[in-house]
Amino acid sequence: MRVSLVGVSCVGTTTIGRILADRRGWPFFDLDEEIERHFGLSLERLQARFLTGYSYRKECAAVLERIATANPDCVIALPPSGLRDAFLRVVQRVPGVTVAVHDAPENILERILYLKEIKADISYFKRSYERADLQVTITGLDPEASAAAIDARLGRT
């Protein structure tokens, strides 16, 4: 089973994804890291090459496609825009389960210091996260318990 985690910046998809993948004995992929490795550029430099977020995601979707088709059992941490445009088309085309990870902005703030941007991200991406197969709220859970909550929702296959 391929599991794709999506959530606003700093919600913990990478940390939780690594733990979840380890629990299941699967490989873990952070799409942002894979994109940087593929293009040999930082995300900031790569995004600067494109006029729009849409054109950036369209180009980078090939990296997601490669990872998803080559790894039937894996966990992929998607960026906040992971269920939009070309990324969404890959996620819909390649079998798997998408999980939108939610946490309260105040809890995310304990990890970072930009509450205003977090609230804006939550509002902005809300509709696209409704496309996920599962909704998992991790309020009050540490990364280990968060991965366990997602694992329980996934069930065993």
Side-chain angles (χ1 to χ4, degrees):
M1 173 191 316
R2 187 172 303 94
V3 178
S4 298
L5 303 177
V6 66
V8 296
S9 298
C10 299
V11 75
T13 55
T14 298
T15 301
I16 294 165
R18 287 185 203 285
I19 294 168
L20 180 62
D22 187 56
R23 287 173 65 105
R24 291 191 160 229
W26 296 346
F28 170 77
F29 301 93
D30 179 299
L31 185 58
D32 286 343
E33 291 173 5
E34 296 298 321
I35 288 169
E36 286 181 336
R37 189 175 1 269
H38 176 82
F39 289 99
L41 293 170
S42 70
L43 291 179
E44 294 78 19
R45 295 190 100 181
L46 184 59
Q47 289 170 345
R49 292 175 43 188
F50 297 94
L51 293 175
T52 65
Y54 174 83
S55 58
Y56 165 79
R57 288 186 294 277
K58 185 175 179 185
E59 185 77 17
C60 294
V63 177
L64 177 57
E65 179 93 30
R66 177 181 47 81
I67 294 166
T69 56
N71 297 279
D73 293 323
C74 70
V75 177
I76 304 170
L78 299 174
S81 61
L83 295 179
R84 299 187 71 195
D85 317 319
F87 289 157
L88 176 63
R89 285 189 283 284
V90 173
V91 169
Q92 289 175 328
R93 187 171 51 255
V94 179
V97 176
T98 56
V99 179
V101 180
H102 305 280
D103 198 353
E106 295 78 10
N107 294 334
I108 297 170
L109 181 60
E110 290 181 15
R111 296 187 288 273
I112 56 156
L113 298 174
Y114 24 100
L115 181 60
K116 183 178 179 183
E117 289 84 355
I118 294 167
K119 286 184 176 180
D121 268 359
I122 288 170
S123 176
Y124 184 76
F125 291 107
K126 183 180 185 324
R127 291 190 62 197
S128 68
Y129 292 168
E130 291 170 356
R131 298 175 181 139
D133 297 304
L134 298 173
Q135 303 291 323
V136 178
T137 300
I138 61 167
T139 303
L141 302 178
D142 65 19
E144 187 71 38
S146 298
I150 293 169
D151 200 27
R153 290 287 309 275
L154 291 170
R156 290 288 169 188
T157 59

